[in-house]
Amino acid sequence: MASIAQGRAAYTVRHKSSNGEKLESCFYATDAFEARLLAMEFNAYIRQHPNCIDSILRTGA
């Protein structure tokens, strides 16, 4: 597992759903932009509404 995450950090992508509910998804990425791309790849709602993302926070070292 350590070899997969090597060079990557944990990022939390926070977004709002269509009904206003706040949701979070976590990804291992090299930077916040890659975390955004991963969120768009794995979440159909974010893919269709990329401006629903509130914040992208680096949560790992």
Side-chain angles (χ1 to χ4, degrees):
M1 179 82 173
S3 63
I4 294 172
Q6 197 171 28
R8 299 181 185 274
Y11 285 87
T12 300
V13 178
R14 294 180 179 171
H15 67 281
K16 289 186 180 178
S17 65
S18 60
N19 62 1
E21 182 181 9
K22 294 180 181 181
L23 303 169
E24 293 183 349
S25 301
C26 296
F27 300 97
Y28 282 99
T30 55
D31 57 18
F33 184 75
E34 184 181 14
R36 179 182 183 271
L37 293 177
L38 289 169
M40 291 173 66
E41 180 179 343
F42 288 102
N43 187 307
Y45 183 78
I46 294 175
R47 186 178 319 116
Q48 294 171 356
H49 306 91
N51 291 331
C52 72
I53 296 174
D54 286 339
S55 62
I56 302 173
L57 305 170
R58 184 175 177 167
T59 54

